[in-house]
C-alpha cells in the first residue's frame, strides 16, 4: 500500500470512519447544499491532516512498536520534512475551505487544527500527558467536526443533538484510549506518559469500557428524545458491539476487528437521521 495512504491512515476501514465523522452534523441537520458539502470536505481534510502530522511526531515511538513500524517506514521513505510540509499544506487547505463557507465553520475547523497541533507537537504534545491525549483527540476528530457541520447545515439548538454529540465524544475518547494500548511499550520507551503507560493496560481497558458505557447512555438518550425508542435501540446496539473487542491485544487485531465494529456503528449513527 502506498506510503501516503499509510500516512493518512486511509486504509480500510479508517476512510469510511473519517467520512462519517466529517458529515455527522450535516446528517442530523438533514441539509446538504454546496456550503454544507464544502464544510464537510473541510472537516474531512482537517481530520486526515492530523495523521501525517502524528506520523511525523511519533516516528520514534512507532519504530519500537511492531504493528506501527510501517508508519515510521513511510515517514522515512518520503522524508520527515516533506511529511511535515504535507500536513501543514493540508491544514491550510482545510482552513481555506472553511473560510469560504462561513466564519463559524472557520472557527470550528481552526479549533480542530489547533488541537491536532497541541496533541502532536512539542513543547505541549498532549499525547504524552495522560488523559489529555485521548480527550483532545476525541474532541478534534469527533465532537468539533459534528458541531461544525451541524452549524453549517443550519442546525438549531437541540438538547437531544447535544446529548448525542456528547455521547459520540465519550465513545471517541474510549476508542482513542483503547487504540493506544498496543503502543504502550513504544510510548514508554520514548517517555510518552499515556494512560496505558501511567496506569497499565488493564486500567486503560477498564477506562475504555466505562467511557463507552457512558457514551452509550448519552447516545441512546439523544436518539430517544429525537427519534424515539426504536432508533435509540438501533444506535445503542450498533455502538455497544465495540465492547466485544476491548481486550484485543495487538494493533493488527484492533484494526481488523475492533475498528471494523466501530466503523459500522459510525455508519449507523450517520444513517439514522436520514432513515428515521
Amino acid at each position: 500500500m502506498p506510503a501516503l495512504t499509510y500516512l493518512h491512515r486511509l486504509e480500510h476501514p479508517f476512510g469510511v470512519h473519517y467520512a462519517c465523522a466529517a458529515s455527522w452534523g450535516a446528517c442530523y441537520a438533514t441539509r446538504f447544499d454546496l456550503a454544507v458539502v464544502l464544510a464537510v470536505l473541510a472537516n474531512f481534510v482537517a481530520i486526515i491532516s492530523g495523521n501525517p502530522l502524528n506520523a511525523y511526531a511519533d516516528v520514534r515511538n512507532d519504530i519500537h512498536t511492531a504493528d506501527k513500524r510501517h508508519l515510521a517506514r513511510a515517514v522515512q521513505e518520503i522524508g520527515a520534512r516533506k511529511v511535515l510540509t504535507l500536513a501543514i499544506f493540508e491544514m491550510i487547505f482545510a482552513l481555506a475551505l472553511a473560510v469560504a463557507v462561513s466564519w463559524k465553520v472557520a472557527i470550528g475547523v481552526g479549533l480542530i487544527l489547533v488541537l491536532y497541533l497541541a496533541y502532536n507537537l512539542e513543547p505541549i504534545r498532549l499525547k504524552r500527558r495522560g488523559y489529555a491525549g485521548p480527550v483532545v483527540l476525541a474532541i478534534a476528530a469527533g465532537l468539533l467536526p459534528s458541531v461544525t457541520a451541524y452549524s453549517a447545515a443550519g442546525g438549531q439548538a437541540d438538547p437531544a443533538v447535544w446529548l448525542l454529540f456528547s455521547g459520540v465524544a465519550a465513545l471517541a475518547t474510549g476508542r482513542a484510549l483503547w487504540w493506544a494500548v498496543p503502543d504502550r511499550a513504544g510510548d514508554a520507551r520514548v517517555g510518552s506518559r499515556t494512560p496505558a503507560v501511567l496506569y497499565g493496560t488493564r486500567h486503560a481497558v477498564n477506562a475504555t469500557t466505562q467511557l463507552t458505557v457512558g457514551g452509550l447512555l448519552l447516545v441512546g438518550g439523544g436518539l430517544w428524545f429525537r427519534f424515539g425508542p426504536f432508533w435509540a435501540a438501533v444506535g445503542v446496539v450498533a455502538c455497544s458491539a465495540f465492547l466485544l473487542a476491548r481486550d484485543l491485544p495487538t494493533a493488527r487485531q484492533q484494526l481488523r476487528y475492533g475498528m471494523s465494529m466501530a466503523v459500522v456503528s459510525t455508519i449507523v449513527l450517520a444513517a439514522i437521521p436520514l432513515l428515521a
Side-chain angles (χ1 to χ4, degrees):
M1 190 174 291
L4 283 175
T5 302
Y6 280 136
L7 287 178
H8 289 94
R9 303 312 304 263
L10 288 174
E11 68 269 31
H12 179 76
F14 287 111
V16 176
H17 173 74
Y18 298 147
C20 289
S23 60
W24 263 330
C27 292
Y28 281 87
T30 59
R31 178 181 141 203
F32 285 94
D33 57 21
L34 178 59
V36 176
V37 171
L38 288 176
V40 169
L41 181 59
N43 270 341
F44 182 80
V45 176
I47 290 169
I48 66 168
S49 72
N51 290 330
L53 180 66
N54 180 252
Y56 164 83
D58 273 4
V59 67
R60 289 193 307 133
N61 307 48
D62 293 340
I63 203 69
H64 297 298
T65 305
D67 290 331
K68 297 288 182 71
R69 286 195 186 112
H70 64 287
L71 294 173
R73 294 192 188 104
V75 172
Q76 293 167 347
E77 177 184 333
I78 294 174
R81 189 179 298 274
K82 289 182 179 178
V83 171
L84 179 59
T85 301
L86 174 64
I88 292 171
F89 172 79
E90 290 173 350
M91 288 181 167
I92 293 171
F93 180 61
L95 191 57
L97 284 172
V99 169
V101 178
S102 72
W103 65 269
K104 290 182 180 179
V105 174
I107 290 174
V109 170
L111 287 173
I112 293 170
L113 300 178
V114 167
L115 290 181
Y116 272 137
L117 291 169
Y119 176 82
N120 286 293
L121 298 182
E122 299 290 358
I124 300 174
R125 191 153 164 79
L126 294 175
K127 177 177 177 175
R128 62 178 177 83
R129 300 183 186 276
Y131 275 96
V135 169
V136 163
L137 198 58
I139 293 171
L143 180 61
L144 281 174
S146 298
V147 173
T148 300
Y150 187 72
S151 172
Q156 302 300 309
D158 184 341
V161 172
W162 281 106
L163 272 178
L164 177 66
F165 289 169
S166 298
V168 165
L171 293 174
T173 302
R175 290 168 187 171
L177 178 60
W178 165 82
W179 185 249
V181 167
D183 299 348
R184 182 172 180 265
D187 287 336
R189 188 161 183 169
V190 299
S192 288
R193 296 165 61 82
T194 65
V197 172
L198 287 172
Y199 309 114
T201 298
R202 179 47 51 190
H203 171 95
V205 171
N206 288 340
T208 294
T209 303
Q210 293 163 9
L211 285 163
T212 301
V213 171
L216 290 172
L217 292 173
L218 291 169
V219 166
L223 290 174
W224 187 304
F225 291 138
R226 186 75 181 264
F227 303 113
F230 172 77
W231 291 109
V234 170
V236 168
V237 169
C239 294
S240 61
F242 170 77
L243 290 171
L244 300 174
R246 67 187 186 277
D247 287 318
L248 293 175
T250 68
R252 190 180 302 275
Q253 290 175 318
Q254 285 184 334
L255 178 61
R256 183 173 181 180
Y257 302 109
M259 276 306 298
S260 295
M261 293 179 184
V263 168
V264 168
S265 69
T266 302
I267 295 171
V268 169
L269 288 181
I272 284 174
L274 305 178
L275 298 174

